[in-house]
């Protein structure tokens, strides 16, 4: 993928992919690429489709999660038409939209949002053989150590920590380690994980309390 900040790279010179979600919304991605990450310690291989959004609107800031035509966060992909390869179909994906900063000298002829769709492609054992994946997409998990059941669709704080609507919370985003759900930091109600806010924590690193059951911050 080329840098957006070059006078030789115009959107008209890039191949475009059309991504359609199940609700009918579309993303047009210029200069797209597909990649696969190295397997995690449990053998899960995550794949990504990344490109510059050609039909975007929004504030132009990297923290804006409401870049049209879709928001960041979870989504259901119906089909992604990619020239030269089989279309992607029927995938639960995570959408991340990032504006890396104001370009200089503003050589791109579109908004310059980088969009990444991520999904679990497969799971393999130490010899590279396919394994059944049953954890991705789970909405509940029971800690085998103490029998406590967790809702994987809600936000958490450390037990006893007051809730600050302008602070960070922790959410599960389909990541696992050793059969335990991972929690990622999210800023306020932003639907995508926060950049540079810290590493993932295990759900067993608690104790955790659901945000709706946390005490209010003093003065609020």
């Amino acid at each position: 993928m080329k840098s957006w900040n070059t006078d030789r790279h115009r959107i008209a010179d890039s191949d475009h992919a059309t991504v359609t979600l199940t609700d009918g919304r579309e993303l047009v991605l210029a200069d797209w690429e597909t990649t696969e990450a190295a397997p995690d310690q449990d053998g899960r291989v995550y794949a990504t489709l990344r490109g510059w959004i050609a039909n975007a609107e929004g504030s132009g800031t990297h923290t804006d999660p409401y870049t049209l035509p879709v928001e960041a966060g979870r989504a259901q992909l119906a089909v992604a038409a990619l020239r030269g390869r089989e279309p992607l179909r029927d995938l639960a994906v995570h959408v991340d939209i990032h504006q890396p900063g104001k370009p200089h000298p503003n050589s791109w002829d579109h908004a310059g949002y980088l969009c990444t769709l991520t999904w679990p492609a497969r799971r393999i054992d130490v010899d590279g053989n396919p394994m059944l994946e049953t954890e991705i997409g789970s909405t509940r998990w029971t800690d085998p150590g103490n029998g406590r059941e967790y809702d994987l669709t809600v936000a958490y704080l450390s037990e006893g920590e007051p809730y600050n609507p302008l602070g960070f919370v922790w959410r599960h985003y389909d990541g696992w380690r050793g059969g335990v759900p991972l929690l990622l930091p999210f800023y306020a109600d932003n639907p995508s994980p926060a950049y540079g806010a810290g590493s993932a924590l295990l759900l067993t690193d608690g104790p955790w309390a659901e945000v709706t059951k946390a005490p209010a911050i003093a003065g609020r």
Side-chain angles (χ1 to χ4, degrees), residues 36-55:
E36 278 194 356
D40 66 15
Q41 70 178 46
D42 296 325
R44 296 182 194 86
V45 178
Y46 290 86
T48 60
L49 169 63
R50 179 182 291 115
W52 300 101
I53 303 181
N55 60 330

Side-chain angles (χ1 to χ4, degrees), residues 14-174:
S14 302
D15 193 62
H16 292 43
T18 301
V19 177
T20 304
L21 304 182
T22 53
D23 60 8
R25 292 176 298 169
E26 286 190 346
L27 277 168
V28 179
L29 301 183
D31 193 25
W32 59 270
E33 64 182 19
T34 59
T35 59
E36 278 194 356
D40 66 15
Q41 70 178 46
D42 296 325
R44 296 182 194 86
V45 178
Y46 290 86
T48 60
L49 169 63
R50 179 182 291 115
W52 300 101
I53 303 181
N55 60 330
E57 299 176 25
S59 69
T61 64
H62 73 280
T63 55
D64 181 6
Y66 304 109
T67 303
L68 301 178
V70 300
E71 298 176 4
R74 298 175 186 266
Q76 186 68 33
L77 182 147
V79 61
L82 307 173
R83 185 165 65 93
R85 59 163 292 168
E86 289 293 319
L88 301 172
R89 299 183 185 276
D90 303 322
L91 293 172
V93 298
H94 296 148
V95 180
D96 182 50
I97 299 170
H98 179 56
Q99 210 267 19
K102 181 178 174 60
H104 179 80
N106 297 312
S107 57
W108 267 84
D109 52 352
H110 70 298
Y113 288 95
L114 183 63
C115 177
T116 304
L117 283 72
T118 306
W119 66 95
R122 54 201 169 88
R123 190 175 182 182
I124 57 176
D125 63 19
V126 293
D127 297 317
N129 301 312
M131 293 175 60
L132 178 66
E133 173 55 72
T134 60
E135 293 164 347
I136 298 296
S138 298
T139 59
R140 306 196 73 83
W141 180 76
T142 300
D143 187 341
N146 56 26
R148 178 181 175 182
E149 186 178 43
Y150 290 89
D151 184 345
L152 300 182
T153 67
V154 301
Y156 288 91
L157 287 169
S158 294
E159 198 169 88
E161 181 182 350
Y163 172 60
N164 180 353
L166 299 179
F168 289 94
V169 298
W170 295 83
R171 293 180 182 273
H172 178 60
Y173 210 54
D174 282 343

